[in-house]
Amino acid sequence: MKLSIVVPCYNEESVIGETAGRLVRLADGWISTGLISDFEILFVDDGSKDNTLAILKDLARQNPHIKMISFSGNFGHQAALSAGLHHAGGDAAVSLDADLQDPPEVIEEMLEKYREGCQIVYGVRKERPDDTAFKKYTAHAFYRLMALMGVNIVYNHADFRLLSRPVLDELKRFREVNRFLRGIIPTMGFEHAMVYYDRDRRFAGQTKYPLRRMLSFAVEGITSFSSVPLRIAAFLGLFIFFMSLLLSGWALTVYYAGETVPGWASTVLPIYFLGGIQLMFFGILGEYIAKVYMEVKGRPLYIIREKYNLEN
Ligand code: UDP
Ligand code: MG
């Protein structure tokens, strides 16, 4: 079987050489043990502003197993990943981050699962020894929130996974612009398995996911897969409506009993309360409408500037 390894890269000049070297060494080893018969390593340069592109070009020139797609600008991790998976020519493709946080040695276990007939193999992190407590906590909260919102994702699984040819072909039919692969893949069915591993520290360079991007990633994930927030809005609205009916009844009785006290609190508090809730749910609605807007425009996910060593 031929294995494709897909690696999205954005400003990864400090790690990319090491990553390529390690992947080539490993894949050569798997060929000699007969686990695979051929491989390609497909780097997707997501419009890096540093030397990543030049380094990748060099690598592709030296080794025909190394292939490369370069984008015309920065389209984001999910777009880069999608481009790599669309262009992967192998019988199965493994995606992993450029920073070597997902140890590539684990691919061997994934390949064994694939041999046993699994079409999707998820890499699941056991622990994150070197992440800051803050990153650990926010990542945990992220998965909890997603589960709460009814988004079907695999706990502690990022984008380190093996997809077989049939899955890759079906994935091409998912045309959504708002793309959250971690949510899409589990909805696809197929036989799947998990492989557990310890997440390493970033080999070099720094994370491209500061809190701001993590938050927007979470919102993206929820609003592209779940309508629970809209339902919360509806139920809360209904609840407040009934409460206000009760309150009106109470106000009437008090009025006829002649005990009304002109109240500031009872007038002003509901205004703030309802105003706040309305604004909040307008925001949620807006989030979904923006999604619909983007989908309707149907813009391309990414724009490819150049391809190296790729025939398709
Ligand atoms: N990445 C990308 N485009 C971006 C941001 C990140 O292709 O706009 C790549 C990055 O090069 C890396 C992977 O996505 O291979 C994950 O990014 P990072 O390691 O910064 O995220 P973290 O592991 O800290 O969540
Ligand atoms: Mg990383």
Side-chain angles (χ1 to χ4, degrees):
M1 62 131 344
K2 180 177 173 181
L3 173 69
S4 300
I5 301 176
V6 171
V7 190
C9 319
Y10 178 59
N11 295 348
E12 300 284 8
E13 62 179 3
S14 52
V15 287
I16 206 71
E18 168 75 17
T19 307
R22 201 153 137 197
L23 288 174
V24 169
R25 270 197 305 281
L26 279 168
D28 280 337
W30 296 327
I31 288 184
S32 60
T33 58
L35 196 57
I36 56 175
S37 57
D38 190 12
F39 72 93
E40 62 178 7
I41 301 173
L42 178 49
F43 288 101
V44 182
D45 173 57
D46 187 14
S48 297
K49 291 173 186 70
D50 63 1
N51 265 325
T52 304
L53 181 64
I55 297 171
L56 286 175
K57 272 186 198 170
D58 258 3
L59 288 168
R61 207 172 298 128
Q62 286 159 20
N63 188 339
H65 286 300
I66 295 182
K67 306 183 176 184
M68 209 252 292
I69 293 171
S70 77
F71 283 178
S72 60
N74 183 233
F75 288 86
H77 182 198
Q78 298 292 303
L81 204 55
S82 301
L85 295 175
H86 288 163
H87 289 82
D91 299 304
V94 171
S95 51
L96 86 168
D97 287 356
D99 56 12
L100 293 173
Q101 272 187 299
D102 312 316
E105 290 74 18
V106 178
I107 297 174
E108 192 166 331
E109 282 172 58
M110 291 183 166
L111 287 168
E112 270 148 24
K113 296 274 187 207
Y114 170 77
R115 279 192 150 182
E116 291 163 14
C118 288
Q119 308 285 324
I120 302 174
V121 186
Y122 298 101
V124 178
R125 287 188 292 274
K126 273 191 270 189
E127 52 189 307
R128 313 177 124 196
D130 273 305
D131 282 345
T132 58
F134 179 70
K135 172 105 190 184
K136 237 183 263 189
Y137 184 77
T138 48
H140 188 71
F142 172 74
Y143 288 104
R144 287 283 303 278
L145 185 64
M146 299 298 274
L148 218 63
M149 291 289 164
V151 183
N152 188 4
I153 57 168
V154 179
Y155 186 76
N156 256 353
H157 159 71
D159 285 301
F160 185 27
R161 67 176 88 78
L162 178 143
L163 303 175
S164 67
R165 187 77 257 160
V167 181
L168 291 169
D169 290 339
E170 291 301 329
L171 191 62
K172 287 184 189 156
R173 300 201 298 142
F174 285 71
R175 302 293 336 153
E176 61 226 79
V177 179
N178 299 290
R179 205 159 256 265
F180 187 66
L181 285 167
R182 289 178 213 182
I184 294 175
I185 310 278
T187 62
M188 292 179 70
F190 289 104
E191 303 77 10
H192 61 268
M194 322 262 175
V195 160
Y196 296 89
Y197 67 96
D198 290 310
R199 190 169 167 95
D200 289 335
R201 83 189 61 158
R202 209 175 209 292
F203 181 75
Q206 43 180 251
T207 176
K208 275 101 208 157
Y209 279 95
L211 180 65
R212 188 176 51 79
R213 279 188 86 162
M214 291 225 312
L215 281 179
S216 80
F217 196 54
V219 172
E220 185 82 0
I222 291 164
T223 52
S224 23
F225 274 91
S226 156
S227 48
V228 171
L230 295 176
R231 214 166 300 144
I232 294 174
F235 278 121
L236 201 64
L238 205 65
F239 175 72
I240 291 170
F241 173 67
F242 278 116
M243 289 307 282
S244 69
L245 285 187
L246 288 179
L247 209 66
S248 322
W250 175 77
L252 275 179
T253 35
V254 177
Y255 176 74
Y256 284 115
E259 292 164 12
T260 34
V261 186
W264 178 85
S266 60
T267 321
V268 172
L269 288 184
I271 291 174
Y272 280 108
F273 178 69
L274 289 173
I277 287 186
Q278 280 185 344
L279 281 181
M280 186 171 121
F281 286 107
F282 270 136
I284 293 178
L285 263 172
E287 199 61 48
Y288 283 92
I289 290 170
K291 288 247 147 38
V292 173
Y293 179 56
M294 292 311 287
E295 296 294 346
V296 164
K297 282 202 281 196
R299 285 188 178 169
L301 259 181
Y302 49 79
I303 298 171
I304 294 176
R305 181 166 46 197
E306 270 180 294
K307 294 179 186 175
Y308 296 85
N309 293 350
L310 264 178
E311 34 315 302
N312 53 337

